[in-house]
Amino acid sequence: MSVTAASGFAAAGVAAGLKSSGKRDLAVVQNLGPLNAAAAVFTTNRCKANPVLWSEQVITDGVVSAIVLNSGGANCYTGTRGFQTTHETAEAVAERLAISAGDVLVCSTGLIGEQLDLDLLKVGVWDATLAIATGDAESEAAGLAAAEAIMTTDTRAKQAAYTSPAGWTVGGMAKGAGMLAPGLATMLVVITTDAVLDSKQLDTALRHATRVTFDRLDSDGCMSTNDTVALLGSGASEVRADLDEFTVALTGVCRDLAEQLQADAEGASHDIAIEVVDAATEDDAVTVGRAVARSNLFKAAVFGNDPNWGRVLAAVGTTDAEFDPYGIDVAINGVQVCTAGEPDQPRELVDLTPRAVHVLIDLHAGDRAATILTNDLTHDYVHENSAYAS
């Protein structure tokens, strides 16, 4: 199901002691080849963590042999010492796997502004690489252990996989429960494939896939400093994939992971899909959907099972999208509550007791559409994030 679903990959997840809970907190995924093709996208937050700064340089030649990920600390705003920690972590992985440190991506997640313990990281790298060398590191269990090691406030590991009739596979793992907002990538995601594709092809497919999946998950409007989505290609299937077919498959795996992230968002009691149709452009549809997704008034109303469609229109009106403000239709969970900017069916007919909520906004301005995924705003979300560092 996970990063080991595709052939040519080994993984391990171990407890390095970075988390006080004693749970797994460090993972290594190794590309066993024969290819070492790769692509990655990162947060567009200008305030980037040290692992992102490192990995942006690593990916420039499209060659990645391994990726090391830790939870228990973001290694962001930790100065030159923090960057050196990133560098030495990559070197430790490289030494153990007999590869170049310049071919090792590094990812971290956790609290900003706290130094990571380099000694613990190195112990974790030793244990993880030992497990890869001596254990059943290409098994489903190994993939699950890696997925568990990158969790922070997640309540469960996120994994997905797809096998093409042509004989190649895409597998992936993700972490994320808070700070779910777009910026080319969201959260930490590692995707593997054994299809024969070069780095340029992987990059093209990845950018398409993230644009319509992770980039449209906007749980709380907060963009992380550490967001990374990496795609590694081993070519171990020896099957050259059709790029269009591969892109569709990759997009499906990314959508699966994005929906799992949405369903595990911090404190959420409703999963909300905001579908915007008949927009003048796709960008307009995204802009409108995102404005509604980021409306705390709307999200609080959904938490209270209140189908307050006026808050939907108020959010739409803050955008620069093309539409007639008095020609918009809104339906919530199948009930047409607003037509042409006027009340339609009574809002009391809307049932918001199920977890799934669907909001349909028709702009009547064109033929483009987009869907944004978000969650409601709950007491639990506020509590979890007010106590995150305590």
Side-chain angles (χ1 to χ4, degrees):
M1 276 292 291
S2 189
V3 290
T4 52
S7 56
F9 292 94
V14 300
L18 299 169
K19 289 180 179 177
S20 58
S21 65
K23 294 181 179 180
R24 293 187 177 102
D25 51 22
L26 186 138
V28 173
V29 179
Q30 183 182 10
N31 185 347
L32 303 173
L35 301 180
N36 292 109
V41 287
F42 304 95
T43 182
T44 54
N45 193 324
R46 291 170 59 196
C47 300
K48 299 178 182 179
N50 287 308
V52 172
L53 297 174
W54 169 269
S55 296
E56 283 178 329
Q57 295 303 310
V58 169
I59 201 64
T60 54
D61 64 357
V63 176
V64 172
S65 299
I67 180 167
V68 55
L69 312 94
N70 75 269
S71 54
N75 196 2
C76 180
Y77 280 101
T78 49
T80 55
R81 177 182 164 188
F83 189 82
Q84 186 62 29
T85 295
T86 299
H87 188 178
E88 291 195 33
T89 302
E91 288 184 331
V93 172
E95 181 180 357
R96 292 284 294 161
L97 298 179
I99 57 178
S100 168
D103 294 335
V104 178
L105 294 176
V106 180
C107 298
S108 298
T109 180
L111 191 64
I112 293 171
E114 298 287 337
Q115 296 288 352
L116 285 171
D117 189 316
L118 181 57
D119 290 336
L120 292 179
L121 281 168
K122 288 183 175 180
V123 170
V125 167
W126 177 279
D127 289 343
T129 52
L130 182 63
I132 286 175
T134 61
D136 191 10
E138 297 176 56
S139 67
E140 183 175 334
L144 175 60
E148 290 174 345
I150 63 175
M151 293 166 54
T152 49
T153 57
D154 307 63
T155 64
R156 54 189 176 272
K158 287 90 174 174
Q159 304 177 92
Y162 168 82
T163 297
S164 166
W168 47 263
T169 295
V170 179
M173 66 180 185
K175 68 78 50 184
M179 299 188 79
L180 307 187
L184 285 182
T186 41
M187 298 66 63
L188 298 185
V189 182
V190 180
I191 304 169
T192 58
T193 183
D194 52 18
V196 177
L197 292 167
D198 61 34
S199 296
K200 183 177 180 180
Q201 291 171 312
L202 294 180
D203 185 76
T204 297
L206 182 62
R207 291 183 184 278
H208 170 83
T210 56
R211 183 181 67 83
V212 297
T213 58
F214 295 120
D215 274 5
R216 294 185 184 175
L217 171 60
D218 201 327
S219 179
D220 55 11
C222 297
M223 186 192 303
S224 172
T225 55
N226 293 58
D227 295 346
T228 301
V229 176
L231 172 60
L232 311 182
S234 69
S237 71
E238 300 183 350
V239 178
R240 183 165 295 280
D242 175 80
L243 183 56
D244 290 339
E245 180 190 357
F246 177 80
T247 301
V248 170
L250 176 64
T251 302
V253 169
C254 289
R255 181 172 292 110
D256 187 338
L257 291 171
E259 290 174 353
Q260 290 183 55
L261 293 167
Q262 178 196 24
D264 196 30
E266 290 172 342
S269 63
H270 291 88
D271 300 328
I272 308 168
I274 302 168
E275 182 181 4
V276 182
V277 299
D278 294 337
T281 66
E282 185 178 354
D283 285 346
D284 275 3
V286 171
T287 297
V288 166
R290 199 176 308 289
V292 177
R294 293 185 174 182
S295 167
N296 286 338
L297 286 175
F298 165 71
K299 291 155 73 78
V302 173
F303 170 58
N305 294 338
D306 176 12
N308 191 335
W309 56 267
R311 293 180 176 178
V312 174
L313 292 181
V316 173
T318 66
T319 73
D320 59 1
E322 181 181 336
F323 57 83
D324 176 357
Y326 303 99
I328 303 173
D329 300 342
V330 178
I332 302 177
N333 278 1
V335 178
Q336 193 74 31
V337 290
C338 171
T339 299
E342 296 184 9
D344 196 324
Q345 296 296 306
R347 66 183 70 199
E348 292 77 13
L349 297 178
V350 179
D351 183 8
L352 289 179
T353 56
R355 186 175 178 97
V357 176
H358 179 255
V359 179
L360 180 65
I361 303 169
D362 192 332
L363 297 179
H364 294 290
D367 60 0
R368 301 299 177 183
T371 299
I372 302 296
L373 304 179
T374 191
N375 310 93
D376 55 351
L377 180 59
T378 70
H379 302 304
D380 288 343
Y381 176 86
V382 174
H383 172 73
E384 188 155 347
N385 284 281
S386 65
Y388 183 74
S390 62

